[in-house]
């Protein structure tokens, strides 16, 4: 799709590692760049990924990754959020097409402000669905000048060691950002008997199952996650449920910061979620559905 736009230079790479290195080269030279791959492609690109997390970038660099819960076209069901945590790279997770558009712009802004590549993580249901988007005027950012900086960009051990504290300091600044950003949205309803923390397409299923009266904390910035925002949300409800596809990333974070939650005791770690599966796991009546063959 990107190749259809004359203002975007687009090419196929031999593999995901090369794609990430080419995108980094463009960002280093001063032009915004993005590389796009599936979750298993991040495995191939992990070598440059972890180093770029240390060097930082020049112009914005976004790594678009699509996970595949349910393994519709993949050989495993891994969760890319582990890479964000391990490489110490921020990750945004949109919940529909409009958020994908908005979050892509925000990802470039965050990348340049915090001198880091940024993950934009989608999943099968976000990538293979369509929803209304609000178009805006395209903005052409000015190219950033390249400045030769061997200590910053050449990661031999003598240069890499002083870069690690910079990465940790960046993470702390991003945690502070996570506390106040509108990417993480608190939606307080009338029913405070339960509060649900969720992200990505799981947010849509939660809304289908629980309706508008539920209290929901939607994490659009899925790493790093806020601390006080989650604690404040949990204090306003009787109990907290975490609904997330695959690994208990949000759930483990909540427990690490002292917030008692229910998660994978009820919500499965295998296969993609649906509103029907969530309703069944929580003992609720699933809504009626239709099949492709039914008349609509």
């Amino acid at each position: 799709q990107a190749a259809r736009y004359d203002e975007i230079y687009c090419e196929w790479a031999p593999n995901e590692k090369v794609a990430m290195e080419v995108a980094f080269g463009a960002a280093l030279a001063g032009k915004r760049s993005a590389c796009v791959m599936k979750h298993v492609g991040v495995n191939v690109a992990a070598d440059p990924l972890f180093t770029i997390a240390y060097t930082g970038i020049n112009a914005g660099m976004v790594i678009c990754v699509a996970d595949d819960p349910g393994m519709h076209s993949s050989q495993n069901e891994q969760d890319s959020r582990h890479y964000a945590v391990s490489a110490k790279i921020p990750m945004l997770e949109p919940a529909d097409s409009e958020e994908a558009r908005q979050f892509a712009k925000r990802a470039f802004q965050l990348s340049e402000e915090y001198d880091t590549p940024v993950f934009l993580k989608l999943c099968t249901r976000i990538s293979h669905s369509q929803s209304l988007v609000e178009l805006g005027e395209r903005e052409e950012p000015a190219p950033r000048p390249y400045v030769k900086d061997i200590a910053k960009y050449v990661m031999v051990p003598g240069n890499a060691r002083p870069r690690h504290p910079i990465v940790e300091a960046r993470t702390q600044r991003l945690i502070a950002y996570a506390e106040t950003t509108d990417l993480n949205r608190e939606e307080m309803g009338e029913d405070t008997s339960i509060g649900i923390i969720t992200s990505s397409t799981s947010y849509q299923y939660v809304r289908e199952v629980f309706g508008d009266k539920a209290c929901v904390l939607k994490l659009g910035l899925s790493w790093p996650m806020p601390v006080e925002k989650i604690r404040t949300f949990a204090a306003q409800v009787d109990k907290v449920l975490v609904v997330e596809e695959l690994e208990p990333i949000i759930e483990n974070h909540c427990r690490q910061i002292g917030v008692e939650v229910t998660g994978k005791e009820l919500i499965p770690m295998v296969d993609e979620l649906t509103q029907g599966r969530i309703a069944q796991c929580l003992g609720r009546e699933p809504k009626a559905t239709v099949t492709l063959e039914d008349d609509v």
Side-chain angles (χ1 to χ4, degrees):
Q1 294 292 334
R4 297 181 179 183
Y5 294 88
D6 293 336
E7 63 269 27
I8 301 177
Y9 173 76
C10 183
E11 66 177 31
W12 291 97
N15 59 47
E16 293 84 358
K17 174 182 181 291
V18 174
M20 185 166 294
E21 290 171 336
V22 170
F24 174 60
L28 183 62
K31 295 288 285 186
R32 284 182 171 181
S33 68
C35 54
V36 183
M37 61 196 70
K38 281 172 53 177
H39 62 294
V40 288
V42 184
N43 299 336
V44 181
D47 182 15
L49 171 69
F50 279 75
T51 303
I52 296 168
Y54 270 42
T55 65
I57 44 80
N58 183 17
M61 177 179 171
V62 176
I63 304 163
C64 306
V65 55
D67 281 12
D68 189 15
M71 292 177 282
H72 298 279
S73 60
S74 305
Q75 61 268 43
N76 69 23
E77 204 172 26
Q78 72 190 49
D79 193 323
S80 293
R81 292 178 296 171
H82 283 298
Y83 273 109
V85 175
S86 184
K88 303 180 187 295
I89 293 175
M91 175 177 278
L92 306 185
E93 284 194 83
D96 56 31
S97 300
E98 171 63 6
E99 281 195 349
R101 184 189 69 84
Q102 293 175 347
F103 285 18
K105 295 177 69 174
R106 298 287 290 274
F108 280 113
Q109 294 164 0
L110 281 174
S111 177
E112 291 171 349
E113 181 178 353
Y114 290 90
D115 190 20
T116 178
V118 175
F119 275 115
L120 182 68
K121 175 183 170 293
L122 294 90
C123 64
T124 304
R125 294 304 157 191
I126 303 298
S127 299
H128 289 267
S129 63
Q130 295 178 333
S131 60
L132 294 174
V133 300
E134 184 176 339
L135 299 179
E137 292 296 322
R138 182 175 180 272
E139 300 176 8
E140 179 69 43
R144 294 188 166 202
Y146 167 72
V147 178
K148 185 176 181 179
D149 190 342
I150 293 175
K152 184 175 190 291
Y153 293 116
V154 181
M155 286 299 95
V156 294
N159 292 339
R161 291 188 192 101
R163 292 299 301 175
H164 190 187
I166 294 172
V167 172
E168 298 301 337
R170 181 181 72 202
T171 299
Q172 292 304 310
R173 290 191 294 123
L174 281 162
I175 292 173
Y177 173 79
E179 301 287 0
T180 59
T181 177
D182 58 354
L183 293 168
N184 297 328
R185 189 169 71 235
E186 187 179 272
E187 300 175 352
M188 298 303 295
E190 301 173 10
D191 183 6
T192 58
S193 63
I194 187 171
I196 304 145
I197 305 177
T198 187
S199 65
S200 186
T201 191
S202 299
Y203 167 79
Q204 307 290 2
Y205 306 145
V206 163
R207 278 298 177 206
E208 287 188 69
V209 172
F210 289 90
D212 295 335
K213 295 183 179 180
C215 297
V216 176
L217 176 58
K218 177 185 177 296
L219 298 179
L221 179 63
S222 58
W223 200 90
M225 284 176 270
V227 175
E228 294 307 321
K229 192 176 189 70
I230 291 175
R231 287 172 176 164
T232 300
F233 175 76
Q236 299 176 75
V237 296
D238 296 337
K239 58 183 178 180
V240 179
L241 171 69
V242 175
V243 178
E244 56 188 325
E245 279 188 325
L246 301 182
E247 299 291 317
I249 307 292
I250 300 173
E251 178 181 340
N252 289 344
H253 173 72
C254 290
R255 292 198 167 114
Q256 286 171 356
I257 63 173
V259 175
E260 184 178 342
V261 299
T262 300
K264 293 305 175 184
E265 304 98 313
L266 300 177
I267 306 298
M269 289 180 61
V270 176
D271 205 352
E272 63 181 342
L273 298 178
T274 65
Q275 64 95 355
R277 285 191 85 195
I278 292 173
Q280 183 180 25
C281 291
L282 301 177
R284 290 172 171 256
E285 188 69 28
K287 294 183 178 180
T289 60
V290 295
T291 67
L292 289 173
E293 293 76 23
D294 293 338
D295 291 329
V296 179

